Amino acid sequence: MIIVLLNVYLVLLFLLVKLGVIRLNLFWKASPVLVLLLLLIGLFIPMNWGAPQGAALVVRNSVAIVPSVAGEVIDVPVEANRPIKEGDVLFRIDPIPFEATVKALKAQLAFAELRLEQMNQLQSRGTGRSFDVEQREAEVGQLRAQLDAAQWNLDKTIVRAPADGYVTNVALRKGARVASLPLAPVMAFIDTSKTIVGVAIDQFAVRYVAPGQPVELTFKTQPGTIVTGQVESVLQAIATGQTQTSGMAVAPRAALAAPFVVRIKLDDAAFADALPAGAVGDAAIFTDQVNPAHLIRRVILRQIAILNYINPF
C-alpha cells in the first residue's frame, strides 16, 4: 500500500512539473524520500498498533465420545458430517444384560419391601423387634440405590449427542465392542453450537486492543467477502507462559514473543455457523488509536479478500 501511495505522489509530481506549476529544484527532487519517511513514521508504523492485523482461525470444540458402559454395539444410526441436534442418538449398546440387572433388582426390592411391611406389622403388634425393622429398611434403601445405578447404566446404553453438531470420521460399526475407558473414544463429536474465531496479534500491537472494538475479517473459504464483528476478549495466557506441576527442575528455554490470541464474535450469526472448523483468513482490529490509519487498513484487507480468489496460502 505504501508503494501505491508513493507512486501516486510521483505521478502527481511529474504532472505538476510538466505543467510548469512547480520548478524541479533540489527540494522537489528529494521530496519522494521525505514523503516515504513521512508515510512510514506517521502512518504505516503506527498503523500496526492502531489497526493491528493478524491471521484468523475458526475453531470448534471437539468432544471425545466415550460410552459410560461397556458392551456390544447394535446400532449406529448417525452419519458422518451430517448436522444433528442435541439429544439425537449416536449409537446403541446391547441393553439386554442391563435390563436383566434392572429386573433382578426390582424383584429383590419388591421382596425386601414386602418383608419390611411384615416386620412393621409384627412390631406394631408387639411381637417384632425394632432391630429387624431397621435391618429391612437398610436393605430396601440399599436395593433402591442399586436399582437407580442399574437404571442409569441401562439409560446409558443409548449414547446421545451432547450438543448441536456433527460426528466426523465415523468408523464405529454394528457388532463392535466398546468400553468405558477415557483413553479409548469411539467417535469425535464437533460442537457447532458456538463458533469460536481467534485472531493472532503480535505482542507489541495488542496493548490497545479491548473488548467491544470493531473488527473486519475475510476468510479463504469466502474470497472477496468482508464480514464484521467485535472483540470479545484478549486471552491472557499462551502456551509459552504456562507451567505445569512436575518433578523436574526448571528447564530454561528461549523466550519467544509469540502472538496473543484475540477472541472475536461475528455480527452475522448465520455466516459464523456456516464456517467450517479450521477455516483461516485475516482480520483487522480497529482500536481507538491512529484513526487515520483505519482507512488504509480497510483497503489492505479488501485487497487480501480479492487475492483470496487466487492465493492458496
Side-chain angles (χ1 to χ4, degrees), residues 21-219:
V21 178
I22 61 175
R23 295 180 61 185
L24 190 60
N25 53 25
L26 181 61
F27 172 78
W28 290 111
K29 290 179 180 179
S31 63
V33 177
L34 298 177
V35 171
L36 177 61
L37 293 176
L38 182 62
L39 289 174
L40 280 175
I41 299 174
L43 188 61
F44 280 89
I45 292 178
M47 181 175 64
N48 289 324
W49 63 76
Q53 178 179 328
L57 176 65
V58 178
V59 180
R60 299 195 185 279
N61 292 321
S62 177
V63 181
I65 302 298
V66 179
S68 299
V69 295
E72 181 182 346
V73 176
I74 61 172
D75 185 26
V76 186
V78 69
E79 296 182 15
N81 303 314
R82 170 168 290 186
I84 56 178
K85 297 294 185 181
E86 180 179 357
D88 288 351
V89 177
L90 299 180
F91 61 94
R92 294 182 176 89
I93 299 173
D94 188 0
I96 293 178
F98 303 96
E99 290 175 347
T101 302
V102 169
K103 291 178 181 179
L105 288 172
K106 285 183 177 180
Q108 295 177 29
L109 178 61
F111 178 72
E113 289 175 341
L114 177 61
R115 295 295 293 168
L116 175 60
E117 182 180 357
Q118 293 173 346
M119 290 299 173
N120 283 327
Q121 292 178 356
L122 291 175
Q123 185 183 26
S124 64
R125 296 172 185 172
T127 58
R129 299 180 302 173
S130 60
F131 172 80
D132 294 333
V133 175
E134 293 171 354
Q135 184 180 23
R136 296 299 178 182
E137 287 177 345
E139 291 178 358
V140 169
Q142 183 178 8
L143 288 171
R144 285 175 177 169
Q146 293 177 0
L147 180 59
D148 290 340
Q151 185 63 50
W152 183 85
N153 287 335
L154 177 59
D155 294 339
K156 292 300 180 180
T157 58
I158 301 178
V159 181
R160 301 182 181 275
D164 293 348
Y166 60 90
V167 178
T168 184
N169 191 22
V170 179
L172 188 65
R173 292 295 182 268
K174 179 180 178 181
R177 184 169 182 84
V178 296
S180 56
L181 299 176
L183 299 179
V186 297
M187 285 183 177
F189 181 84
I190 307 300
D191 184 354
T192 60
S193 58
K194 188 171 186 181
T195 303
I196 302 173
V197 180
V199 179
I201 300 297
D202 292 329
Q203 293 193 14
F204 81 95
V206 80
R207 60 184 182 274
Y208 295 120
V209 177
Q213 292 175 342
V215 182
E216 287 189 349
L217 308 94
T218 180
F219 292 95

Side-chain angles (χ1 to χ4, degrees), residues 167-289:
V167 178
T168 184
N169 191 22
V170 179
L172 188 65
R173 292 295 182 268
K174 179 180 178 181
R177 184 169 182 84
V178 296
S180 56
L181 299 176
L183 299 179
V186 297
M187 285 183 177
F189 181 84
I190 307 300
D191 184 354
T192 60
S193 58
K194 188 171 186 181
T195 303
I196 302 173
V197 180
V199 179
I201 300 297
D202 292 329
Q203 293 193 14
F204 81 95
V206 80
R207 60 184 182 274
Y208 295 120
V209 177
Q213 292 175 342
V215 182
E216 287 189 349
L217 308 94
T218 180
F219 292 95
K220 295 287 186 181
T221 58
Q222 300 290 334
T225 302
I226 298 292
V227 294
T228 60
Q230 61 180 359
V231 175
E232 269 194 331
S233 62
V234 180
L235 303 189
Q236 297 298 311
I238 56 177
T240 53
Q242 181 181 9
T243 182
Q244 296 179 345
T245 303
S246 70
M248 304 295 293
V250 175
R253 57 183 177 181
L256 302 176
F260 284 107
V261 177
V262 180
R263 185 164 177 171
I264 305 299
K265 180 180 179 181
L266 300 184
D267 295 332
D268 190 344
F271 183 89
D273 293 340
L275 286 172
V280 297
D282 291 88
I285 302 173
F286 303 103
T287 70
D288 299 330
Q289 306 293 320

